[in-house]
Amino acid sequence: MWFEYLVNIFTFPGFLFIILIAFIYEWVDRKLYAAFQNRVGPWVTGFSGFLQPIADFIKLLTKEDITPEGADTLIFRSIPVFSLAVALLCSLFLPISGIRGLVSFEGDLIVAIALMTLLSIMFFYAGLSSPSRFSIVGAERTMLQLLSYEIPLMLSMASVAVSTSSLSIMGVVEAQRNRWLIIGPNILSFIVFLLAAQAELERIPFDIPEAETEIVAGWLTEFSGRKLALLRLTKDVELFYLSGLSTALFLGGPLGPMVPGLEWLLHPVYFTIKSLVVLFLLSLMRSIFARLRIDEAVNFLWKYIIPLSVLQFLLVRVVA
Amino acid sequence: MTISELAGGPITAFILSLIVAGVLYAIGGSIGVKSKRSPSKCKPYACGQDVPAERTPVVIWLYKFATAFLVIDVVAYLFVLSMGAPFVSPVRELVIVYSVVTLIALITIVRR
C-alpha cells in the first residue's frame, strides 16, 4: 500500500505530473495572451516555445542567489520552499485520475479555502521580510486584496457545498454525475469564483500587488535566483490548482461519457480539457481588461462582487 | 492512528511536498552560480538611488477592522441562513464560540 501510494504521489497524479502540467499551463496562458494581443508569444525553445517555462525555471535555478542586507533572513529564505509545498499540497486535493483526489477526506473543501488564504498570507510575509519599500507596498496591497476577494470566494464555495450538501470535493464531484453544477443557479457562483480566482492569482485586472509599472515587481522585487524560480513555480501550480478546482466544483471534474476499461485514460483527459477551458476564460479576462487601481479594486469587490455573491448564495439556498 | 492510515492523509502529503520543494531548492543551491558578495549587490533595488535598506513599519489598523468585519458579518450571515437546519449538537458550541469571538472583535473596535 505504501509503495503504491508513494509511486502515485511522486509520479502520476502527484508531484511530477503537477509540476509538468503547471509549466504547460503557463505556456498555454502565455500563448493565448500573446494571441489575443496579436503577438507570437514564446516560440524558440521546443515546438512553438513549448519548453520555454521549463527553460526559464532551469535558468533561474542556475542564477546567483542573493539575500539583500536588512532582510529577515529566516522568513525570506523559507517562504519560497513553504509556498511551493503548500501549492503542491493544494493540487493533491484535485480529482484528476478519478472522482477521488490523492488526498481526500470529509471537509477538504474547507481545507482547500484555508490553504489558499495561507498562500496569500505567505506572499504578504514575503514582501514584509524584504528590506525594499516596493516590496512593502506590494505586501500591503496583497493583504488589502485578500480581505476583499476572500468573502466572495468563500460564499461561492459555500453555495456549492449547500447545493450538493457535501463538504468534500469528492462529494461535490459525485453529485454532478447527472448534471453539472454550472447549469442552474450556480452559474453566478461560477462567475464570482472566476473573478476571485483572478484576484487570488494576482493577474490583470487584479495584478495590483505586482504592478510592474508602479512598484517594480511588488512583493517579488527582492527575490532572485532559486527563490524566484520556486516562487514562479508556485504561481504556475496555483494557476493549475485554481482552474482545476473550478473544474471540479462547477464543471463536473473528471466525469464525462465513459468507455469501459479506459477510465484511467479518460478521467485525466476530461479533467485537463475542462480546466483548459477555464484557463482560456482566465486568459481572456487577463487580456481584455486593464489594471485597476487598488482603491478601485477594493471598491469594486466590496460594493459589487460581495452583494452579488450574497445574492447568489440566497438564490442557491432558495432553489436548492 | 496507525501507520497505514497515515498514507492518504494530508500530513504525510504535506511532508512529502515539503521534501520535494526542499530538494528543488537544494538543487538550485548546488547548480547556482556562486560569486563574491559585493556591497552594491546586496542593496535593495532602488533604480540606482541610494535608499537605505530598512523595513518600514506597516499600518495595521485597517486589517484589524476588516478582520472584525469578516468575523461579524459573514459568519453571522451563514448562521442566519442555517436557522431552519436541524439543531445538531456542534451548533450550540459554535454559537458560543462565535459570540465570544464577536465580543472580542467589538471590544477591539471600540477601544481603537
Side-chain angles (χ1 to χ4, degrees):
Chain A
M1 183 197 174
W2 268 94
F3 180 71
E4 196 195 336
Y5 171 71
L6 285 179
V7 168
N8 277 341
I9 205 171
F10 278 110
T11 56
F12 170 51
F15 301 128
L16 190 67
F17 175 75
I18 290 168
I19 290 174
L20 286 182
I21 206 166
F23 284 136
I24 293 174
Y25 272 47
E26 190 202 331
W27 173 74
V28 172
D29 178 46
R30 280 166 70 175
K31 270 290 187 193
L32 282 174
Y33 190 49
F36 289 136
Q37 294 181 337
N38 236 340
R39 291 187 290 117
V40 184
W43 68 290
V44 175
T45 325
F47 168 71
S48 179
F50 187 68
L51 298 174
Q52 191 64 52
I54 302 178
D56 286 351
F57 181 72
I58 295 173
K59 187 209 76 175
L60 276 178
L61 271 188
T62 57
K63 291 281 175 183
E64 191 187 352
D65 182 26
I66 302 168
T67 305
E69 58 174 305
D72 190 334
T73 329
L74 181 67
I75 296 178
F76 193 79
R77 284 187 181 149
S78 58
I79 282 288
V81 180
F82 273 97
S83 58
L84 180 58
V86 168
L88 285 175
L89 176 64
C90 284
S91 308
L92 293 180
F93 290 122
L94 294 178
I96 299 169
S97 62
I99 293 173
R100 195 184 162 84
L102 206 54
V103 178
S104 173
F105 49 93
E106 189 59 39
D108 54 3
L109 203 60
I110 299 174
V111 178
I113 309 179
L115 285 178
M116 273 195 288
T117 312
L118 188 65
L119 216 51
S120 291
I121 293 176
M122 276 188 182
F123 295 158
F124 174 67
Y125 274 115
L128 211 58
S129 65
S130 313
S132 163
R133 52 202 61 200
F134 300 114
S135 305
I136 301 222
V137 174
E140 274 185 299
R141 290 180 181 189
T142 308
M143 204 61 188
L144 265 180
Q145 199 163 282
L146 170 75
L147 290 170
S148 326
Y149 69 73
E150 189 64 18
I151 302 172
L153 193 69
M154 262 161 45
L155 284 179
S156 68
M157 284 167 95
S159 66
V160 166
V162 164
S163 51
T164 60
S165 57
S166 160
L167 265 183
S168 69
I169 297 174
M170 187 174 79
V172 172
V173 175
E174 184 68 50
Q176 299 178 66
R177 217 172 254 289
N178 297 320
R179 192 172 58 97
W180 292 357
L181 267 186
I182 192 173
I183 306 164
N186 266 310
I187 177 97
L188 268 179
S189 17
F190 182 64
I191 294 169
V192 169
F193 186 90
L194 277 192
L195 277 171
Q198 194 81 339
E200 165 89 37
L201 289 165
E202 298 175 355
R203 286 148 59 90
I204 302 168
F206 299 108
D207 71 331
I208 314 148
E210 301 175 0
E212 64 256 349
T213 42
E214 306 165 21
I215 48 170
V216 188
W219 54 269
L220 269 169
T221 306
E222 292 301 324
F223 289 89
S224 61
R226 53 179 174 168
K227 299 194 194 84
L228 185 59
L230 289 201
L231 282 173
R232 285 187 49 157
L233 181 57
T234 307
K235 284 270 168 198
D236 294 348
V237 174
E238 207 188 353
L239 177 64
F240 167 65
Y241 167 66
L242 279 170
S243 46
L245 189 66
S246 47
T247 306
L249 295 186
F250 298 100
L251 299 179
L255 297 175
M258 276 296 149
V259 182
L262 276 179
E263 282 92 352
W264 58 273
L265 179 68
L266 286 179
H267 278 309
V269 168
Y270 285 139
F271 186 85
T272 314
I273 291 173
K274 288 175 188 172
S275 57
L276 280 176
V277 171
V278 177
L279 180 64
F280 176 81
L281 291 177
L282 289 177
S283 301
L284 187 66
M285 207 194 294
R286 186 178 164 208
S287 51
I288 60 180
F289 289 111
R291 183 191 307 134
L292 298 171
R293 284 198 322 258
I294 182 68
D295 59 327
E296 284 171 347
V298 172
N299 254 332
F300 173 67
L301 286 167
W302 277 93
K303 282 188 186 159
Y304 299 102
I305 298 302
I306 290 179
L308 183 66
S309 58
V310 170
L311 187 75
Q312 53 94 0
F313 193 85
L314 274 176
L315 202 68
V316 168
R317 174 84 186 163
V318 168
V319 170
Chain B
M1 188 183 281
T2 60
I3 292 182
S4 59
E5 275 172 9
L6 277 174
I11 300 167
T12 328
F14 180 66
I15 293 169
L16 289 176
S17 34
L18 204 59
I19 289 172
V20 169
V23 165
L24 280 176
Y25 193 69
I27 290 174
S30 63
I31 65 176
V33 181
K34 288 171 194 67
S35 58
K36 240 193 288 177
R37 289 169 69 89
S38 64
S40 69
K41 205 187 272 180
C42 290
K43 267 186 192 166
Y45 176 81
C47 294
Q49 262 183 308
D50 203 11
V51 180
E54 59 183 14
R55 289 191 281 137
T56 23
V58 176
V59 186
I60 63 161
W61 69 264
L62 180 67
Y63 304 132
K64 269 189 200 167
F65 193 75
T67 316
F69 181 82
L70 271 174
V71 170
I72 293 172
D73 193 72
V74 178
V75 187
Y77 176 71
L78 290 177
F79 266 116
V80 167
L81 281 174
S82 61
M83 282 270 279
F87 198 72
V88 283
S89 59
V91 174
R92 189 176 298 132
E93 284 80 11
L94 270 179
V95 168
I96 294 169
V97 171
Y98 172 68
S99 328
V100 172
V101 172
T102 312
L103 206 65
I104 295 172
L106 277 177
I107 291 170
T108 318
I109 292 177
V110 169
R111 280 186 57 188
R112 208 194 77 76

